[in-house]
Amino acid sequence: RYGHSSLNQIHQEIYAYAHGKQSEIEELKQLAKFRRQFLADVSHELKTPIFAAQGFVHTLLDGAIDDKNNRMKFLKKAAKNLDGLDMLVQDLLTVSHMEAGDITMQLEPVDICEEIYEIFDQMEENAHKHKVTLKTNHERSEEIKVLVDSQRIHQVLVNLITNAIKYSDEGGVVEVSVVDTGKRQNVIVKDRGIGIPTEHLNRIFERFYRVDKSRSRAIGGTGLGLSIVKHIVEAHDSEIKVVSTPGEGSTFSFELNKYKPQ
Ligand code: ADP
């Protein structure tokens, strides 16, 4: 087989083969490590709300149920933790489907303006509770058609706007704008909230990565919101971008394809 190869060439080929195997092994090792870490993270994230709910229910069973004042308080806390658990499991399923690559995209024409107003209507109460104002640069009646997976883009906007509200202080403003870039539509979610220090910017899209663990936990959230956003935006052949200044606010943006009727 090697009739025409020099010994040197043979050595080179064998070396390349062995080297290839070595990096395959390294890759598998890396993957296994990643899986173990993910499982550890998931278990930890699941345990937190389970332990809390368990604690409140057992306290009730141990007698707190007879205390009129505490009864409702503990039940509400147990319910809140169970709701959080439900959200976490839903997000985990979404992430695991996406990472396994089994997401089928259903592209259809969507009026992104209408979508934004619909989400504003849904979130009005939440924004009001946080004393945050929701704004957009378009009128309700305007029509801006993009070709996207409607449900998934809905989720991207919900996740980004929820974060923008959550990480704003009272009196904050969250502005969602759509800017025509010629080829595509640029969707921008801007807040004037707490901001993100530069050293954390490229890590916030990782699963369960939080800038301030205790603060994010207290505010609530699964820690998976932005990793879901990244997956969905990339499935639309786009990239999620973020610019942020601590104390001034954050701006997340991504581009979507225009819908052009034939
Ligand atoms: P979480 O459920 O913790 O909000 P996400 O994946 O949505 O999880 O976000 C990851 C982390 O990125 C958050 O814990 C927070 O530290 C930071 N973050 C996300 N959005 C914002 C924002 N608009 N302003 C400031 N920090 C943010």
Side-chain angles (χ1 to χ4, degrees), residues 163-164 166-167 191 194-196 204 209-212 216 220-227 250 252:
N163 279 350
K166 274 192 332 195
Y167 300 107
D191 67 59
I194 62 170
I196 303 159
I204 53 171
Y209 190 84
R210 292 164 173 125
V211 174
D212 179 342
S216 287
T222 63
L224 294 171
L226 285 183
S227 64
S250 313
F252 289 82

Side-chain angles (χ1 to χ4, degrees), residues 1 13-14 19 24 36 53 62 64 73 88 103 108 114 141 149 167 180 185 197 220 226 237 241 255:
R1 251 179 94 201
E13 272 178 45
I14 292 173
H19 192 69
E24 242 173 67
R36 273 199 305 277
D62 288 346
K73 197 168 101 189
L88 176 60
I103 55 167
E108 55 180 324
E114 191 182 327
S141 56
D149 185 313
Y167 300 107
D180 194 326
Q185 296 286 355
L226 285 183
D237 294 321
K241 293 186 181 151
E255 293 194 336

Side-chain angles (χ1 to χ4, degrees), residues 1-2 25 33 56 59 72 81 107 109 111 129 132 139 149 154 173 178 193 200 208 213 234 253:
R1 251 179 94 201
Y2 292 108
I25 291 169
K33 191 178 153 199
F56 291 120
T59 311
M72 267 322 254
N81 278 283
L107 296 183
D111 178 359
K129 208 173 74 191
V132 168
E139 298 295 326
D149 185 313
H154 179 89
V173 177
V178 184
H200 296 277
F208 302 127
K213 266 197 184 351
E234 286 176 359
S253 66

Side-chain angles (χ1 to χ4, degrees), residues 73-250:
K73 197 168 101 189
F74 287 176
L75 269 176
K76 276 187 184 157
K77 289 195 177 190
K80 194 172 171 210
N81 278 283
L82 290 174
D83 290 344
L85 192 63
D86 182 44
M87 263 171 30
L88 176 60
V89 171
Q90 271 180 37
D91 278 359
L92 273 172
L93 285 174
T94 308
V95 167
S96 79
H97 280 307
M98 290 183 165
E99 298 201 345
D102 58 352
I103 55 167
T104 37
M105 297 280 288
Q106 288 186 329
L107 296 183
E108 55 180 324
V110 168
D111 178 359
I112 193 82
C113 261
E114 191 182 327
E115 185 65 41
I116 291 168
Y117 273 98
E118 247 169 52
I119 295 173
F120 277 7
D121 290 343
Q122 277 172 29
M123 293 200 164
E124 208 175 63
E125 205 180 317
N126 184 24
H128 188 73
K129 208 173 74 191
H130 285 83
K131 298 199 168 52
V132 168
T133 312
L134 301 176
K135 273 178 35 178
T136 171
N137 65 334
H138 291 284
E139 298 295 326
R140 199 180 270 266
S141 56
E142 284 179 65
E143 194 187 72
I144 300 175
K145 287 253 167 129
V146 285
L147 189 66
V148 296
D149 185 313
S150 161
Q151 271 184 17
R152 295 193 200 277
I153 285 302
H154 179 89
Q155 182 163 24
V156 166
L157 286 169
V158 167
N159 289 5
L160 290 179
I161 300 170
T162 306
N163 279 350
I165 296 173
K166 274 192 332 195
Y167 300 107
S168 281
D169 295 319
E170 282 190 5
V173 177
V174 172
E175 185 163 12
V176 184
S177 12
V178 184
V179 176
D180 194 326
T181 63
K183 277 193 181 152
R184 302 176 104 182
Q185 296 286 355
N186 194 17
V187 183
I188 304 156
V189 179
K190 183 179 161 76
D191 67 59
R192 298 180 200 161
I194 62 170
I196 303 159
T198 316
E199 65 269 28
H200 296 277
L201 275 183
N202 57 356
R203 299 210 57 192
I204 53 171
F205 298 99
E206 290 173 22
R207 297 177 299 210
F208 302 127
Y209 190 84
R210 292 164 173 125
V211 174
D212 179 342
K213 266 197 184 351
S214 54
R215 182 168 183 162
S216 287
R217 273 188 202 287
I219 295 175
T222 63
L224 294 171
L226 285 183
S227 64
I228 292 175
V229 164
K230 184 170 156 59
H231 272 294
I232 298 178
V233 168
E234 286 176 359
H236 282 84
D237 294 321
S238 185
E239 195 190 344
I240 179 83
K241 293 186 181 151
V242 56
V243 185
S244 186
T245 311
E248 286 183 19
S250 313

